[in-house]
Amino acid sequence: MNADVLEKLRKEYSKGTRVKLVQMDDAYAPPVGTLGRVQHVDDTGSIHVKWDSGSSLAVLYGVDSCVNVSE
């Protein structure tokens, strides 16, 4: 993981940021459009989210995607 990319991710997806799931390649993924709150971004760039559905699956950098919906 590039340090500059990681810093950008941590800034855009800081703890408490509201996100909406766009795509997740996991059999246990919450439905597309599910909202959640960022818990943290790890050293690999994965965004760890507590989803409103109760799931806590991470959004994997380069595989899955979510968008920041915080105002």
Side-chain angles (χ1 to χ4, degrees):
M1 171 56 60
N2 177 298
D4 292 333
V5 172
L6 186 56
E7 182 180 336
K8 182 179 176 187
L9 284 170
R10 286 183 169 156
K11 190 175 214 178
E12 183 175 356
Y13 296 104
S14 60
K15 183 174 181 162
T17 299
R18 286 292 277 171
V19 294
K20 180 168 71 171
L21 183 64
V22 174
Q23 187 274 330
M24 184 178 280
D25 188 21
D26 190 299
Y28 299 102
V32 168
T34 299
L35 297 171
R37 281 206 190 275
V38 173
Q39 301 302 299
H40 71 281
V41 176
D42 68 21
D43 291 342
T44 66
S46 293
I47 304 166
H48 293 262
V49 178
K50 172 106 169 115
W51 299 103
D52 292 356
S53 65
S55 174
S56 59
L57 290 173
V59 178
L60 302 179
Y61 181 77
V63 177
D64 306 322
S65 61
C66 66
V67 292
N68 182 331
V69 294
S70 289
E71 295 182 11

